[in-house]
Amino acid sequence: MNILLANHESIEQAALLIRKGRLVGVPTETVYGLAADAGNDVAVAQIYETKGRPQFNPLIVHVASLEQAREYVEFTPLAEALAKAFWPGPLTLVLPRRKEAAVSYLVSAGLDTIAIRCPDHPVMRKLIEVSGCPLAAPSANPSNRISPTRAQHVYEGFKGSREPAVILDGGPCLVGLESTVVDASGSSAVILRPGGLSREAIQVVCSVADAKLGGDIKSPGMLAKHYSPRHKMRLNVVDVKPGEALLAFGPDPLPGSLLSLNLSASGDLVEAAANLFSMLHQLDAIECEAIAVMEIPQSGLGVAINDRLVRAAAAL
Ligand code: TXA
Ligand code: MG
């Protein structure tokens, strides 16, 4: 892992790595991000693996312009007004995902919404443009550590690990606080995470409603709206019952299902994480009695995969 001074050449180099599915540490005006191609399931899985996240918290998709954002999410009049007022800047909008959006379901942890933001940092914006794809990027710190506001913080957090492939050094972050996350899908703004853009500033543009605690809250870490399937789910199965679809894992998928999709035939947990939400979507779309899921080892990304499966199974 190298720290490279951000310039035309190093950004080109970083963009090449992004296109190959690698991760890049990159400055934004808020904090440094750990960025990957948002359309690449395996690269996104690698973000969770690298951060050591015990759960698949949904990630923010970064774009270079409002026009680019329209390719991935449905804008409401409220979102339109907020984006015009505060983009580029430390505001993330949670909006309905467009059906044709070329964004990995793992980015949004299987949700039908996407958190999207247009950052105000020349290095990040250039990286998005040169990479030619939207970038998924959480803060570039290992899980449960402090968010990084300098390239050196990113280096300290991940030294010795394979990712990120490089860290672009763009100096210290000016805001130093993560972006404010706002659910802008309705008629008033709901602040899901306070951050670098104040409530007062948002109130100049629109009304702000309080997130309902314990209710339908979609706030970070306590997402009640995580992807819940239509079908019943059975976990850790050792046999398939008549009429069931199978989510398999490993070289020996159980026989006898209506349809069987394998998270990873080779038993690779990063590959399994990359496939998890898109395969659940596929199996949930067919008519079946239930979705049976084979046992996933409780190690590495397996912990996060099992966490999501248990939530999905409990959702009905
Ligand atoms: O300033 C920032 O926002 C930084 C820089 C790198 O852009 N990024 C960042 O990402 O803080 P992260 O992954 O650490 O935080 C993303 C936040 C989480 O609180 C997550 O729960 C929320 O956004 N979030 C993401 N997608 C969501 C969705 N579809 N619905 C609700 N909340 C969402
Ligand atoms: Mg974070």
Side-chain angles (χ1 to χ4, degrees):
M1 181 194 325
N2 278 330
I3 299 183
L4 300 177
L5 199 63
N7 56 33
H8 193 73
E9 207 188 342
S10 60
I11 293 174
E12 290 276 349
Q13 194 181 327
L16 214 65
L17 288 160
I18 292 275
R19 285 201 291 267
K20 285 187 185 154
R22 300 292 304 272
L23 310 191
V24 169
V26 58
T28 81
E29 79 280 27
T30 57
V31 298
Y32 273 73
L34 187 64
D37 176 354
N40 181 332
D41 289 320
V42 176
V44 175
Q46 200 63 57
I47 292 179
Y48 290 103
E49 164 86 4
T50 301
K51 278 186 69 92
R53 277 197 171 175
Q55 298 179 356
F56 295 129
N57 293 325
L59 308 173
I60 296 169
V61 172
H62 297 73
V63 291
S65 65
L66 176 56
E67 288 60 49
Q68 193 185 3
R70 291 187 209 284
E71 294 176 33
Y72 310 111
V73 292
E74 303 285 357
F75 270 78
T76 58
L78 172 67
E80 199 78 41
L82 287 169
K84 291 212 165 100
F86 301 116
W87 277 5
L91 170 69
T92 294
L93 299 172
V94 174
L95 290 168
R97 173 194 183 97
R98 287 186 61 177
K99 280 194 185 62
E100 61 277 28
V103 168
S104 162
Y105 268 106
L106 190 56
V107 167
S108 54
L111 294 167
D112 291 326
T113 53
I114 289 177
I116 197 157
R117 126 171 156 91
C118 178
D120 188 15
H121 194 291
V123 174
M124 180 57 154
R125 292 161 66 83
K126 193 80 195 163
L127 184 64
I128 298 167
E129 278 166 28
V130 181
S131 301
C133 57
L135 298 180
S139 50
N141 52 292
S143 200
N144 297 324
R145 300 263 293 273
I146 302 161
S147 291
T149 55
R150 288 170 187 268
Q152 191 64 30
H153 298 161
V154 183
Y155 181 81
E156 296 295 336
F158 298 112
K159 67 179 169 208
S161 72
R162 192 179 107 90
E163 301 284 5
V166 293
I167 301 162
L168 293 172
D169 188 349
C173 301
L174 292 179
V175 177
L177 250 188
E178 284 103 333
S179 63
T180 301
V181 180
V182 169
D183 178 350
S185 58
S187 55
S188 33
V190 180
I191 298 177
L192 303 180
R193 177 181 74 177
L197 183 68
S198 70
R199 181 187 178 107
E200 289 75 11
I202 296 172
Q203 271 169 335
V204 172
V205 174
C206 64
S207 64
V208 177
D210 284 312
K212 285 188 246 88
L213 272 168
D216 200 19
I217 190 164
K218 286 183 264 181
S219 90
M222 38 165 126
L223 288 165
K225 278 213 157 176
H226 260 113
Y227 176 67
S228 40
R230 297 187 300 141
H231 295 312
K232 261 194 302 202
M233 293 183 56
R234 282 200 311 126
L235 306 184
N236 303 316
V237 300
V238 290
D239 58 3
V240 175
K241 297 197 171 137
E244 284 186 333
L246 179 71
L247 189 61
F249 179 81
D252 302 309
L254 294 166
S257 63
L258 283 182
L259 172 65
S260 167
L261 297 177
N262 199 334
L263 288 169
S264 171
S266 66
D268 176 350
L269 288 165
V270 175
E271 184 186 16
N275 286 327
L276 178 66
F277 292 113
S278 58
M279 287 186 175
L280 275 176
H281 272 275
Q282 284 176 65
L283 293 178
D284 208 31
I286 68 164
E287 290 313 317
C288 63
E289 291 299 317
I291 301 171
V293 186
M294 287 174 66
E295 185 175 0
I296 317 287
Q298 187 68 358
S299 62
L301 280 190
V303 178
I305 294 172
N306 283 318
D307 170 80
R308 274 296 160 273
L309 286 170
V310 167
R311 283 165 198 263
L316 287 180

